[in-house]
């Protein structure tokens, strides 16, 4: 059963789930409107490869700190259904189902917090998730990260940890991603497939002779 790995943001969905979550939280009155100003600078750091991921996690989820985990889960599930389902690429649905029908093990591996990725994965019908883990404190939400962050080289480390635990291998593995930040994992799998790649990844893919997918945006 080969591994079919998918990045989430701008790969499976037309957008960035963490950015959308923050906007959703501001609209709901859970976070102050000023949070969006800092968001733009942090996303620019992401695009240039200089992002402090722990700082980004604290910024996007800080307004939830201290809330009961079941309330955070309820909000995240609502967000997945209302905001994320409409922006899933049609080709992403098709590719996910194709891998499942082929008997592959599908995994979403993301640099987004697991409290967001897990309900989105469930909505997509995907059981396996590797995302940035956050600690709980007495049943309440915190923005303290746990272990290796699944970001850049950290995605490779976290995937190898999963493989060791599940007694699997990278033989026949496929990875779909849009971002140059995922070059380490794209280089590690058997079949790298840049999908909706950013400019840096598109240039790298051309240099490596990789096949590129460009999925169409969802209809307005």
């Amino acid at each position: 059963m080969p591994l079919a790995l998918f990045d989430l943001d701008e790969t499976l969905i037309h957008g960035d789930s963490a950015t959308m979550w923050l906007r959703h939280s501001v609209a709901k009155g859970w976070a102050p409107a000023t949070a969006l100003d800092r968001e733009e600078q942090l996303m620019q750091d992401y695009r240039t490869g200089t992002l402090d991921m722990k700082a980004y996690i604290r910024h996007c989820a800080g307004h939830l700190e201290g809330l009961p985990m079941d309330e955070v889960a309820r909000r995240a599930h609502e967000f997945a259904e209302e905001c994320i389902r409409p922006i899933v690429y049609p080709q992403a649905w098709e590719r996910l189902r194709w891998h499942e029908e082929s008997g592959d093990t599908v995994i979403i591996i993301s640099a987004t917090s697991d409290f967001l990725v897990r309900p989105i994965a469930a909505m997509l019908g995907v059981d396996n998730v590797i995302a940035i883990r956050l600690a709980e404190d007495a049943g309440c939400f915190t923005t303290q990260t746990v272990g290796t962050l699944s970001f850049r080289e950290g995605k490779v480390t976290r995937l190898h940890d999963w493989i060791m635990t599940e007694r699997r291998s990278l033989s026949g593995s496929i990875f779909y991603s849009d971002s140059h930040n995922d070059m380490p994992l794209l280089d590690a799998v058997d079949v790298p497939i840049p999908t909706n790649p950013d400019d840096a990844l598109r240039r790298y893919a051309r240099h490596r002779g990789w096949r590129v997918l460009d999925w169409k945006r969802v209809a307005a």
Side-chain angles (χ1 to χ4, degrees):
M1 297 175 65
L3 304 182
L5 308 163
F6 290 83
D7 178 47
L8 175 60
D9 301 321
E10 304 292 355
T11 301
L12 291 171
I13 66 174
H14 179 59
D16 182 274
S17 57
T19 297
M20 294 181 65
W21 166 256
L22 190 57
R23 291 173 181 166
H24 178 75
S25 297
V26 169
K28 289 287 188 178
W30 302 333
T34 53
L36 297 176
D37 298 331
R38 176 64 174 152
E39 165 73 9
E40 177 53 36
Q41 179 58 55
L42 289 168
M43 286 306 296
Q44 180 59 30
D45 291 345
Y46 174 80
R47 289 188 286 269
T48 60
T50 61
L51 179 64
D52 178 342
M53 183 55 75
K54 288 187 178 182
Y56 186 67
I57 295 296
R58 289 194 299 271
H59 178 69
C60 287
H63 60 282
L64 298 173
E65 195 156 22
L67 284 178
M69 289 302 300
D70 57 354
E71 173 61 15
V72 174
R74 184 193 67 77
R75 294 184 184 186
H77 173 77
E78 173 190 276
F79 168 74
E81 290 295 334
E82 291 184 7
C83 301
I84 301 300
R85 184 182 288 277
I87 62 167
V88 179
Y89 285 107
Q91 298 92 335
W93 286 111
E94 294 168 3
R95 190 57 59 104
L96 288 168
R97 299 293 85 81
W98 182 81
H99 278 292
E100 290 172 353
E101 291 168 5
S102 298
D104 301 332
T105 298
V106 177
I107 304 174
I108 293 178
I109 181 165
S110 173
T112 299
S113 302
D114 56 2
F115 84 94
L116 285 179
V117 180
R118 291 190 180 279
I120 294 171
M123 181 264 293
L124 292 169
V126 177
D127 295 329
N128 300 293
V129 169
I130 298 173
I132 292 180
R133 297 172 295 196
L134 299 177
E136 298 180 28
D137 182 14
C140 291
F141 186 85
T142 81
T143 57
Q144 297 301 308
T145 59
V146 177
T148 302
L149 305 188
S150 48
F151 179 54
R152 297 177 67 87
E153 293 81 0
K155 280 194 177 181
V156 180
T157 300
R158 290 286 305 281
L159 179 60
H160 279 300
D161 290 345
W162 186 92
I163 285 171
M164 292 294 292
T165 300
E166 300 294 325
R167 299 183 178 181
R168 303 293 295 276
S169 80
L170 279 175
S171 179
S173 57
I174 300 173
F175 180 39
Y176 301 81
S177 176
D178 73 293
S179 176
H180 69 279
N181 286 297
D182 283 336
M183 287 178 186
L185 185 51
L186 287 162
D187 279 327
V189 299
D190 281 352
V191 183
I193 304 183
T195 305
N196 314 320
D198 58 31
D199 291 342
L201 179 54
R202 191 176 293 273
R203 288 192 299 270
Y204 189 66
R206 188 180 302 117
H207 171 72
R208 296 297 302 274
W210 291 345
R211 174 191 180 193
V212 170
L213 296 179
D214 287 295
W215 287 346
K216 295 180 180 179
R217 295 175 60 174
V218 293

